[in-house]
Amino acid sequence: MRNFLPLALLASLPSLALAQSLSVADLQKQIDAEVNKGNEYTALLNDPDPKRAQAAMKVMLGSGDPDLISIALDYGLYSPDLAVRGAAVKGLLDSKPRLDVFLTMTDPNNGFQKAMDYMFKTVPNAEGIAPVPILVTGYDAQLDCYLGEFREVETKGDKCFLQVRPETIRARLGYGWSEVRLNDDGGLIGDARLSNGQMAPVRIQLH
């Protein structure tokens, strides 16, 4: 009697294994579902009504859901349509993200390290790249720009960080505005004028 239950369980193992195994059809359904994941959201972004498509992008970027944000950015930042790309940038900035900005030293003798300490209290790494985290705090309609919080000694001016217009995107990281453009890595690249008057390559990572 004591051996009956274990033997009964052992005898039922093959049938349990068969019951838990997936058929080829079931497996195919799961594979299709995984491959097509996100297609329903992409369909919203591809709405023939431009207003609805841009509204979908704005809602997805502001959702706080990493998957939805990634889908919307992949669609918008890599779009061949400049208006869509601009809408993606604005939608991301409206969500008030923290963006990582990287300035690069091109000449060790041009005062780059001193300028980074003076402007942002940051130190370049061994490759000469200085990281500057910036928190986007919202859009200022009067200044027509997105504001950013970052360490800068000069406080006489406004706190504009990015300006997104149909014809151009501009950044203000140092002393004056400079034009930036979207690259193939989902970032904005250009140059920034430092406190010593020198120009330094800058990359603003969006994705």
Side-chain angles (χ1 to χ4, degrees), residues 34 38 41 47-48 65 73-74 111-112 116 120 137 145 155 166 205:
E34 186 66 27
Y41 299 112
D47 193 293
D65 185 320
L73 284 178
D74 281 341
F112 179 82
M116 290 300 98
F120 306 115
T137 58
C145 70
T155 58
Q205 196 62 39

Side-chain angles (χ1 to χ4, degrees), residues 33-117:
E34 186 66 27
V35 171
N36 293 324
K37 186 183 293 184
N39 281 2
E40 61 271 28
Y41 299 112
T42 303
L44 295 175
L45 295 167
N46 277 314
D47 193 293
D49 183 343
K51 290 185 178 180
R52 289 183 61 84
Q54 291 191 20
M57 181 181 298
K58 184 175 182 178
V59 170
M60 290 170 67
L61 289 172
S63 67
D65 185 320
D67 290 334
L68 291 184
I69 293 172
S70 180
I71 291 170
L73 284 178
D74 281 341
Y75 176 84
L77 295 182
Y78 302 110
S79 171
D81 189 324
L82 292 179
V84 173
R85 296 172 76 176
V89 174
K90 293 185 72 172
L92 175 63
L93 297 177
D94 285 332
S95 69
K96 299 181 180 179
R98 190 194 78 108
L99 300 178
D100 290 321
V101 178
F102 304 92
L103 293 102
T104 302
M105 177 171 61
T106 56
D107 183 351
N109 299 314
N110 69 356
F112 179 82
Q113 297 185 45
K114 185 177 181 180
M116 290 300 98
D117 177 63

